[in-house]
């Protein structure tokens, strides 16, 4: 494979890892698990990083995507019993929603304008600031939530009924949409994922090593 080909595979791997990371953070939130702080910051920050120099710049340090890369590595494996079907369901639905958003430039424009406005109003510094998260949740409700299929999040009823948890889940789902847009921009598709499975797993392994995690 040429260097260009390896870069394309790496970029698609980053985007797909971004999707699984957002989905895992939603899962951690909804099931009242401890949410990974570094991964949360990276996913939320990706929403405001709209003009990156490279795909890798969207998330920055490889360690910031370690959660998503580890899950992707497992999902790309040959053992079906190691795959988390709840996460897979979230990612598939995110892909469906992104395709619908792509056909509605008015909604895409509304998301972009909302992010710019939120960044200006809140003087964005802390990705987990309650005002920022609430603002992202509102953007999600006004745009992605108007489409079908809606993502049905599973978890602890007490958590799902809590407004701050609801806001975080919606903000993270918006980060998941950001990753699916990146996936499409990288030329990603289900067919390519099937045929490039081994190359993507190899790329994922290399990035995990760069992030300091033995595989």
């Amino acid at each position: 494979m040429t260097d260009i080909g390896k870069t394309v595979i790496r970029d698609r791997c980053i985007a797909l890892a971004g999707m699984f990371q957002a989905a895992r953070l939603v899962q951690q939130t909804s099931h009242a698990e401890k949410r990974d702080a570094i991964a949360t910051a990276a996913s939320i920050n990706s929403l405001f990083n709209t003009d990156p120099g490279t795909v890798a710049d969207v998330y920055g340090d490889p360690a910031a995507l370690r959660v998503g890369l580890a899950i992707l590595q497992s999902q790309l494996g040959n053992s079906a019993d190691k795959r988390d079907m709840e996460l897979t369901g979230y990612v598939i639905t995110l892909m469906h929603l992104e395709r619908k958003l792509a056909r509605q430039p008015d909604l895409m424009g509304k998301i972009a304008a909302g992010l710019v406005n939120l960044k200006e109003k809140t003087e964005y510094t802390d990705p987990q600031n309650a005002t920022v998260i609430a603002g992202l949740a509102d953007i999600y409700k006004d745009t992605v939530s108007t489409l079908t299929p809606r993502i049905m999040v599973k978890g602890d009823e007490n958590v799902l009924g809590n407004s701050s948890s609801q806001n975080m889940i919606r903000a993270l789902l918006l980060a998941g949409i950001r990753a699916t847009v990146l996936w499409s921009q990288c030329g990603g598709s289900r067919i390519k994922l099937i045929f490039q499975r081994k190359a993507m797993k190899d790329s994922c392994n290399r990035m995990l090593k760069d992030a300091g995690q033995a595989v």
Side-chain angles (χ1 to χ4, degrees):
M1 184 181 294
T2 66
D3 288 343
I4 293 176
K6 288 180 181 179
T7 299
V8 170
I9 293 294
R10 179 183 173 89
D11 287 350
R12 290 175 186 164
C13 196
I14 288 170
L16 199 54
M19 283 186 247
F20 276 107
Q21 178 156 298
R24 176 59 181 142
L25 293 169
V26 166
Q27 189 181 56
Q28 287 178 329
T29 304
S30 66
H31 288 279
E33 299 174 20
K34 183 178 180 180
R35 193 174 54 249
D36 188 285
I38 293 175
T40 301
S43 291
I44 296 299
N45 280 333
S46 73
L47 287 163
F48 297 96
N49 193 354
T50 55
D51 190 27
T54 66
V55 171
D57 289 343
V58 174
Y59 295 98
D61 191 316
L65 259 187
R66 185 162 23 195
V67 169
L69 289 168
I71 294 169
L72 179 58
Q73 181 198 45
S74 177
Q75 298 290 101
L76 290 173
N78 294 322
S79 179
D81 61 353
K82 290 185 178 180
R83 296 174 197 157
D84 188 320
M85 299 313 295
E86 182 180 319
L87 291 181
T88 300
Y90 290 153
V91 168
I92 289 173
T93 307
L94 284 169
M95 287 180 171
H96 280 310
L97 291 171
E98 187 277 331
R99 287 292 81 209
K100 289 194 172 185
L101 275 173
R103 295 192 291 270
Q104 298 197 40
D106 56 327
L107 285 183
M108 292 292 280
K110 192 171 184 179
I111 291 173
L115 290 172
V116 169
N117 185 50
L118 180 60
K119 189 173 183 178
E120 291 176 347
K121 278 174 44 178
T122 58
E123 296 183 358
Y124 179 79
T125 53
D126 179 4
Q128 298 192 61
N129 177 278
T131 301
V132 172
I133 297 303
L136 292 173
D138 285 340
I139 293 171
Y140 183 88
K141 285 191 292 184
D142 292 342
T143 56
V144 183
S145 277
T146 65
L147 303 173
T148 56
R150 296 185 69 177
I151 297 179
M152 304 304 294
V153 176
K154 301 175 182 178
D156 185 309
E157 290 185 6
N158 291 325
V159 173
L160 295 175
N162 180 279
S163 60
S164 62
S165 295
Q166 290 173 3
N167 285 343
M168 178 58 78
I169 287 169
R170 290 183 177 120
L172 290 168
L173 289 175
L174 191 62
I177 290 290
R178 165 68 172 119
T180 62
V181 170
L182 194 61
W183 168 253
S184 293
Q185 290 172 338
C186 293
S189 69
R190 288 196 200 180
I191 294 296
K192 288 177 182 176
L193 179 55
I194 292 171
F195 286 104
Q196 295 173 346
R197 191 182 198 91
K198 184 181 184 304
M200 288 193 68
K201 186 174 182 182
D202 290 345
S203 181
C204 186
N205 287 343
R206 287 192 294 272
M207 282 190 281
L208 276 170
K209 288 178 181 177
D210 290 343
Q213 178 168 323
V215 293

